[in-house]
Amino acid sequence: MLGRADDVINSGGVKISLSDVEAQINKIIPTAEIITFSMPDDKWGQMLCLASTTAVDLVKIKAALGPVLTPKSSFVFQSIPRTTLGKPDRIMAAEIAKKMVTK
C-alpha cells in the first residue's frame, strides 16, 4: 500500500513508498535508527536513499527486499532529522546528504 503523496517517489518508473521501505528495513535491522528519502538522479529520476545513525548492510537489505526497494545510496548521520511534530524530515535528510556528497 502506498502512503501519502509526498511519501512516494518515482524511481526508474516505479512508485516507491518511503515509509513502507522504512518499515521493511526496520524488520530486517530492528535496532537501526533510519530514514529513507530521495535525491535527484540522472538515471533513475529520483534515487532511493537511506540514512542511519550507524552503518547498515545494503547487501543484507537487498537480499530481503530485492533491487527495486534497496536504497541506491546510504549515509551515516549523527542523528535522524525530524520535523517539529517528531516525524522524519525527508527534505532535511536530502539536504544533509547532498552536503556530504559535495564535500
Side-chain angles (χ1 to χ4, degrees), residues 11-97:
S11 184
V14 177
K15 292 186 190 249
I16 300 171
S17 167
L18 298 174
S19 59
D20 284 350
V21 172
E22 281 179 10
Q24 291 183 50
I25 292 172
N26 279 323
K27 290 177 186 175
I28 300 163
I29 312 169
T31 58
E33 187 180 3
I34 64 165
I35 185 171
T36 55
F37 56 96
S38 71
M39 293 180 64
D41 184 76
D42 291 339
K43 180 178 180 181
W44 300 101
Q46 291 178 290
M47 176 175 52
L48 176 61
C49 298
L50 168 74
S52 179
T53 55
T54 59
V56 295
D57 185 351
L58 289 180
V59 174
K60 183 177 182 178
I61 293 170
K62 187 174 184 177
L65 301 183
V68 173
L69 298 182
T70 298
K72 307 299 183 252
S73 190
S74 67
F75 301 88
V76 176
F77 290 176
Q78 289 183 352
S79 64
I80 300 301
R82 301 218 174 261
T83 66
T84 55
L85 297 175
K87 296 185 180 205
D89 190 336
R90 300 184 199 292
I91 294 170
M92 182 58 69
E95 290 176 15
I96 293 168

